[in-house]
């Protein structure tokens, strides 16, 4: 069969790539051995006829682990390639890691093997019917009974019912719940407890436990995961089921405080740090589909500066229109910046965890603040970007077969779970205000990503700062880019500090200021991570062409982000009108420079077609043929006359008599 024009177009675009694609695949996924192993794991999922739905998927996943002797990390990769949140997802991503992170050595030794062999299945239960983000006001209580040496777990009202808990509706035998710890009437706040939910003999709920599924979710998302509820009625569990790596309660009922009040946030830091890289890969999928489809989609024979000399009589490729480039290319740059920040976040979390195990809490506050801010900023970018990719693809993007709708409906809840994206910004803002206080008393103790607040102490000098750009190419200097991000975040933290000190000011009235500051700080972290990542790649001796394209992506991310927030820079005259003009010009220059590389940039993500699940974004570019084939497989197209013809269609056609044509 002759090649379609779409196949030819994608192949031609791929051939223009200026850098070795494998270099960036290594940058994203690691060594050649890891890349090969990842491909093998993807093939296990795509070629397995028994990977089906929900519970069946969960069972088959564990069978594959045993059949192929997969490590825990490899099994998690397989879970990613299944591309559904499974009933066991939180068991693997939260229940087991939190046992290790917050359980004592003895507890980890007892509980973790049971969980890793899935002899018990767990979930993480924090959210309640009446409370989610407000951990201090959770209504579930754990009251110590000294006589029996037990905790009495109780839902004090029906709104204390745990709600939205993944895995709880059907499969979980245990839940790691957050409940307010009470001894002799004194409330010590929320702590973690391992709570048996269903019998290991017959899976029936224990007396005092009412558990079930909360029902279908919005947009058809999370269809394979059993989000559930549980309500407790004076339900006893052993005292030893309280996670006791940090806070402890003795047999005598003595509460031993943790070394830091925020240590309980460690589990949230873990989940949020994973979500940063997850945001990058989610947006990467959407950008891959949109890039490939707009490369093969041709509409209107309107000349652009990107001449298609080999096909002068054909319509223009959609990706060659500057308006499409200005929407799509910055999203690809965002992916690479978030990947860089995700690597940084992972490193910071692992370092913090190692320190916590030794009783060192010095890095906890910064890691918690950065993870909160990045979770909010990155998941917002990704969810918005996935929908923008659908719009870029035009009408066909709305088809389920584009792969975008399923991706979006599954991902968009990330803006709410593990901390509402608007509410989370207050945590980062509070932390930065504390850093301002530290800067005034002991500047050496200001944490690494907050050093810019030191400059705000001398307000006269700070307010006199101006962007040093003189020429268009000055915008490509990393020190100028980062100085701009630092100035913006520094001014906003200063403004918030002044507002917070006003007599009669209520903190909740500053929500919008917190939101602006948090995103300014998070964008600085993203930009700085991208800049540092380029420097690291350069130092590792990577091909010059690869370093060049990464540098362009870093530049485009920084400048596009600055442009989107120009109002903040113009408020205090940090950027001049002429600099605004040169900024826009440099962004256009970068988009033009990247145009030949975007197909290679998305190929580097190394997503198999099975995982993309997109008729329009397949690697061969044969979009129209794949879309046609997908429609032909629909059940409704397997018959010439549909069910309901006689019952409904005939009466409609003959309501006023049969037509005589």
């Amino acid at each position: 069969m002759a090649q379609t024009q779409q196949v030819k177009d994608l192949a031609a675009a791929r051939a223009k790539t200026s850098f070795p694609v494998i270099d960036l695949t290594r940058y994203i996924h690691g060594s050649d051995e890891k890349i090969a192993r990842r491909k093998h794991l993807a093939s296990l999922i795509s070629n397995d006829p028994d990977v089906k739905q929900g519970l069946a998927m969960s069972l088959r996943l564990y069978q594959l682990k045993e059949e192929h002797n997969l490590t825990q990390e490899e099994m998690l990769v397989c879970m990613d390639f299944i591309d559904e949140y499974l009933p066991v997802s939180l068991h693997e991503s939260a229940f087991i890691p939190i046992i290790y992170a917050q359980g004592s050595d003895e507890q980890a030794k007892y509980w973790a093997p049971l969980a890793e062999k899935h002899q018990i299945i767990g979930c993480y239960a924090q959210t309640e019917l009446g409370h989610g983000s407000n951990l201090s006001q959770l209504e579930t209580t754990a009251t110590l009974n000294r006589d029996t040496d037990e905790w009495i777990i109780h839902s004090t009202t029906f709104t204390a019912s745990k709600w939205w808990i993944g895995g709880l509706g059907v499969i979980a035998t245990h839940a790691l719940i957050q409940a307010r710890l009470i001894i002799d009437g004194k409330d010590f706040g929320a702590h973690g407890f391992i709570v048996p939910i269903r019998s290991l003999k017959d899976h029936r709920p224990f007396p005092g436990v009412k558990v079930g599924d909360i029902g279908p979710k919005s947009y058809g998302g999370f269809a394979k995961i059993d989000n559930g509820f549980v309500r407790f009625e004076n339900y006893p569990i052993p005292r030893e089921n309280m996670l006791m790596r940090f806070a402890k309660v003795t047999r005598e009922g003595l509460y031993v405080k943790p070394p830091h009040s925020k240590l309980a946030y460690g589990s949230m830091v873990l989940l949020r740090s994973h979500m940063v890289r997850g945001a990058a890969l989610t947006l990467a999928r959407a950008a891959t589909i949109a890039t490939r489809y707009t490369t093969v989609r041709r509409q209107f024979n309107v000349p652009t500066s990107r001449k298609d000399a080999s096909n002068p009589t054909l319509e223009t490729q959609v990706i060659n229109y500057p308006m499409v480039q200005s929407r799509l290319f910055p999203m690809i740059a965002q992916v690479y910046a978030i990947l860089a920040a995700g690597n940084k976040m992972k490193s910071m979390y692992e370092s913090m965890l190692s320190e916590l195990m030794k009783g060192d809490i010095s890095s906890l506050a910064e890691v918690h603040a950065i993870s909160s801010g990045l979770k909010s900023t990155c998941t917002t970018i990704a969810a918005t970007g996935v929908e923008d990719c659908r719009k870029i693809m035009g009408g066909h993007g709305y088809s389920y077969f584009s792969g975008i709708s399923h991706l979006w409906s599954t991902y968009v809840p990330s803006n709410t779970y593990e901390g509402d994206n608007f509410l989370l910004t207050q945590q980062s803002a509070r932390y930065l205000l504390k850093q301002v206080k530290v800067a005034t008393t002991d500047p050496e103790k200001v944490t690494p990503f907050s050093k810019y607040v030191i400059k705000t102490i001398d307000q006269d000098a700070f307010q006199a700062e101006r962007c040093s750009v003189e020429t268009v190419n000055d915008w490509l200097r990393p020190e100028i880019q980062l100085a701009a991000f630092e100035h913006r975040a520094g001014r906003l933290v200063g403004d918030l500090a002044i507002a917070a000190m006003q007599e009669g000011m209520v903190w909740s009235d500053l929500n919008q200021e917190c939101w602006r500051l948090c995103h300014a700080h998070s964008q600085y972290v993203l930009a700085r991570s991208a800049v540092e990542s380029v420097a690291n790649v350069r130092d590792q001796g990577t091909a010059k062409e690869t370093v060049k394209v990464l540098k362009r992506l870093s530049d485009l991310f920084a400048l596009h982000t600055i442009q989107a927030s120009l109002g903040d820079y113009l408020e205090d005259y940090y950027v001049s009108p002429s600099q605004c003009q040169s900024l826009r010009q440099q962004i256009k220059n970068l988009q033009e420079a990247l145009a030949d590389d975007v197909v290679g940039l998305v190929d580097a993500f190394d997503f198999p077609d099975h995982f993309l699940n997109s008729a329009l974004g397949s690697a061969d570019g044969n979009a129209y043929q794949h879309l046609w084939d997908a429609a032909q497989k629909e059940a409704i197209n397997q018959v010439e006359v549909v069910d309901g013809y006689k019952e409904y269609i005939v009466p409609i056609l003959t309501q006023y008599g049969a037509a005589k044509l």
Side-chain angles (χ1 to χ4, degrees), residues 432-443 446 453 457 501:
L432 290 169
L433 286 180
K434 291 177 181 177
Q435 288 299 296
V436 173
K437 293 181 179 179
V438 173
T440 61
T441 57
D442 194 349
V446 174
V453 303
I457 304 305
M501 290 187 295

Side-chain angles (χ1 to χ4, degrees), residues 130-374:
H131 288 87
S133 300
N134 192 357
L135 193 63
S136 66
Q137 294 300 310
L138 294 179
E139 296 178 274
T140 304
T141 58
T143 304
L144 183 65
N145 184 328
R146 294 176 185 272
D147 295 335
T148 61
D149 197 28
E150 292 175 321
W151 297 106
I152 306 303
I153 309 298
H154 186 58
S155 302
T156 55
T157 70
F158 88 93
T159 57
S161 304
K162 297 297 183 183
W163 199 266
W164 279 110
I165 313 305
L168 182 59
V170 173
I171 196 172
T173 63
H174 289 67
L176 200 163
I177 74 161
Q178 289 287 335
R180 283 168 33 216
L181 188 156
I182 297 174
I183 302 175
D184 296 334
K186 183 175 181 181
D187 188 340
F188 289 89
H191 289 69
F193 301 83
I194 297 176
V195 181
I197 300 295
R198 295 179 173 97
S199 168
L200 294 177
K201 294 180 180 179
D202 58 13
H203 211 59
R204 292 183 181 278
F206 289 110
V209 176
K210 182 173 179 58
V211 63
D213 190 277
I214 67 168
K217 279 76 71 173
S218 292
Y219 314 118
F222 277 28
K224 306 297 189 297
I225 190 168
D226 54 330
N227 295 88
F229 66 82
V230 64
R231 186 174 177 182
F232 301 104
E233 185 68 32
N234 294 313
Y235 177 55
I237 64 170
R239 176 181 54 83
E240 293 86 352
N241 283 27
M242 170 191 168
L243 293 179
M244 296 195 198
R245 178 170 294 280
F246 304 116
K248 299 175 176 64
V249 174
T250 68
R251 175 64 184 91
E252 296 72 29
L254 176 66
Y255 179 79
V256 181
K257 291 196 303 184
H260 193 289
S261 62
K262 303 300 184 185
L263 281 173
Y265 290 173
S267 58
M268 289 183 280
V269 171
L270 169 65
L271 296 173
R272 289 168 186 167
S273 63
H274 287 167
M275 292 179 73
V276 176
R277 181 174 176 85
L281 295 179
T282 297
L283 183 55
R285 284 178 64 184
T288 298
I289 295 168
T291 298
R292 290 175 177 172
Y293 178 62
T294 55
T295 297
V296 305
R297 175 80 164 171
R298 290 178 177 270
Q299 292 290 289
F300 307 107
N301 202 342
V302 178
T304 69
S305 59
R306 286 181 56 76
K307 306 292 184 182
D308 188 2
S310 58
N311 298 291
T313 62
L314 297 181
E315 292 177 280
T316 300
Q317 290 168 280
V318 169
I319 201 166
N320 285 341
Y321 289 110
M323 181 56 74
V324 172
Q325 294 178 356
S326 70
R327 296 157 68 197
L328 180 58
F329 293 5
M331 284 192 278
I332 298 174
Q334 286 172 334
V335 171
Y336 280 90
I338 297 173
L339 282 170
N343 291 338
K344 185 69 175 178
M345 190 72 252
K346 180 175 182 288
S347 175
M348 292 177 71
Y349 174 76
E350 291 172 348
S351 177
M352 179 200 75
L353 187 61
S354 176
E355 293 169 0
L356 289 178
M357 295 300 183
K358 301 172 185 176
D360 180 356
I361 60 173
S362 59
S363 62
L364 176 61
E366 181 176 42
V367 176
H368 176 249
I370 290 178
S371 70
S372 298
L374 286 179

